[in-house]
Amino acid sequence: MSRIARVVVDVTGVDKPFDYLIPDALAAQAVVGARVRVPLHRREVPGWVMSVLDAPASDVDTEKLLPLAKVTSIGPSTEIVELAEWAAERWASRRRPFFVSASPERRIPRLVAPRRTSSSTAAEPLLGTGGGLVRVGPASSAMHVVENAMSCGPVLVVVPTLARARRVAAECRRRGRTTALYPDDWASAASGVDVVVGARSAVWSSAPQLGAIVVIDEHDDTLQEERAPTWHARDVAIERARRLGVPCLLASAVPTIAARAWAGTRVTDAPDANQWPPVRVIDRNADERWASSLVTSALIELLRDHSKRVVCVLNVKGRARSVACDACRTVARCEVCDAGMTEPDAGRLVCARCAAERPVVCLACGSQRMRSIRIGISRLRDELEAAAGRPVQEVKPTTGALDPRVSVFVGTEAVLHRVDRADAVVFLDLDSELLAPRFRASEQALDLVAHGARLVAPSASVAGGELVIQTTVPDHELISGLASGDLTAYVVAETARRQRLRLPPFGALAEVSGAGAAEAAAHLRGSLLVEVAGDEDRLLVRAASWHALSEALRSLPKSRQRVRIAVDPARA
Ligand SMILES: [Zn+2]
Ligand SMILES: [Zn+2]
């Protein structure tokens, strides 16, 4: 017993690793990553071997150590254990959640022989430059990106949902590739196949000898874990590829500022990159009832054409309570960060995103009278039905089957996942996303529009439809970019805003909440590494880099009260 296993225990709330002696009988199996059982406070608990030390060479006092009880299964590879260590620092977290994502759900005694076919030929120039960003069309499956990446060897493919992962896996198998779906086929993925594919946790697959990593729809928020640690599969994929020295390809129809900043000039367009449906912009200001109703005259006209299947989208969660000029109807926007302004009390306008303030004055016409835009949405379905002269179904997350006799649907973003085809997708009020007080608001609005584009994409049997965007800010760079099919000006403006405000990817941001937040705030305010804003139960902590942020957050003293730390929060 001359070797020591340093073990991360699978116990909520315990991060400190513990050392155990490796009995000779378990020496062969007790390798880095192995699932083990160890004694802890007179109980036996599960855990993972994080590292193996040579007892004589270490400064550990072996006299006091207990032996490992058993090795129950193989676990994540050494590569993944090291990547988890990086991720725990990157997202200022405990190690355990990463070990959980990287582990098989069932006991796996051993790996099997790898199954691989020969690789194909390369057609993607980015593969020679360490990878980069591939712009694809909104309806693209991005299969050609996967196919190209296979010229480098085995490929790990990460997609936003398991449903899409199944489709990619089926297509890869159809093309004769040995394929593992993560996490179901954990063991064959870890043994070695041509393609490993799965939703975000697949980035933790112990797939050996990878030749490339592909992330499809890198802009999709489902690639980020919602609970803390809020790790993002795109960022883990980039780091993993960098460590392995293999190319990482990010595919997206609406690439994020983070992906663009990472790729720099390493950007290519897939043949379908510019195949967007036509985008029609409806200026709500031009309508009589602009401040109270979302049913514009142009929308009424569209709904009255009963040959058209129409999907109306309205996000009600976290809607911006904007104000607009009473004289010229210009929506009050923040000069610093572009979000909508609110008028919490008479005499001042406050930005809900960055807290900038200014007196009540319209920047367009100088008028000092504002009115708040209050859209009545409780009777929206009735209003649409009256306008359309045909039945309208409201689609909620709890809605069962869609009514086959109905051809107009209204709902939140979820409606885009329920209806599979439409002649028009109407965003009733894109401003509520675009001007929302979240730093990634415009990207989230773009994601929504890209989802809509899938529903109206042409297929072999039907012609394509259109996207309709209702807005009160038709001159916003994002809206005019969508209308003209060129988002360059938007990307330049949004990049400049993020740089100016030092928001990710040009700075690091974390949201600290929970009962212990006030105590954390007191401690963090003393740190030179970070700036702290917000109130006592929800803090925003900013730093120049994630290294500085992580150093400050990890120096927080142990608290009895719960603190939730969300690094790069999607919805902050
Ligand atoms: Zn005005
Ligand atoms: Zn602002």
Side-chain angles (χ1 to χ4, degrees), residues 152-379:
C152 298
V155 178
L156 170 62
V157 184
V158 182
V159 296
T161 64
L162 207 49
R164 289 208 43 204
R166 288 205 178 90
R167 288 204 292 276
V168 172
E171 182 57 28
C172 289
R173 289 190 182 112
R174 201 186 60 75
R175 295 178 188 204
R177 303 299 183 173
T178 57
T179 305
L181 185 70
Y182 192 88
D184 293 10
D185 307 328
W186 195 98
S188 59
S191 302
V193 285
D194 296 334
V195 185
V196 176
V197 57
R200 66 171 176 256
S201 66
V203 79
W204 297 106
S205 162
S206 291
Q209 290 159 334
L210 287 178
I213 303 180
V214 177
V215 180
I216 295 177
D217 284 356
E218 64 78 26
H219 61 272
D220 198 308
D221 275 352
T222 53
L223 289 174
Q224 184 170 27
E225 172 63 67
E226 269 182 68
R227 293 164 303 173
T230 48
W231 58 274
H232 200 301
R234 172 197 59 224
D235 299 339
V236 178
I238 289 172
E239 175 65 13
R240 185 172 181 185
R242 189 193 68 77
R243 286 165 173 251
L244 291 172
V246 303
C248 181
L249 293 177
L250 306 180
S252 174
V254 286
T256 57
I257 302 297
R260 290 177 186 275
W262 167 75
T265 55
R266 294 172 298 150
V267 182
T268 57
D269 280 2
D272 63 355
N274 295 313
Q275 280 174 22
W276 274 74
V279 175
R280 176 150 61 114
V281 175
I282 296 176
D283 182 359
R284 287 184 39 228
N285 292 316
D287 231 72
E288 206 48 44
R289 298 193 302 138
W290 64 281
S292 62
S293 174
L294 292 169
V295 185
T296 58
S297 3
L299 176 59
I300 294 172
E301 199 178 311
L302 175 67
L303 292 170
R304 290 212 171 135
D305 179 350
H306 290 201
S307 71
K308 294 235 164 90
R309 190 173 163 88
V310 182
V311 171
C312 298
V313 186
L314 179 69
N315 266 1
V316 287
K317 238 194 329 193
R319 280 169 64 83
R321 292 206 175 279
S322 299
V323 293
C325 172
D326 205 32
C328 78
R329 298 183 178 183
T330 301
V331 171
R333 279 156 69 186
C334 172
E335 316 97 283
V336 182
C337 78
D338 195 47
M341 307 283 280
T342 59
E343 193 177 4
D345 40 67
R348 71 197 172 109
L349 296 176
V350 178
C351 170
R353 191 187 293 164
C354 77
E357 282 193 30
R358 69 164 187 260
V360 179
V361 59
C362 171
L363 295 182
C365 77
S367 159
Q368 297 183 7
R369 287 200 22 216
M370 297 279 155
R371 73 151 112 168
S372 77
I373 307 173
R374 291 201 189 278
I375 305 294
I377 52 166
S378 53
R379 301 190 66 245

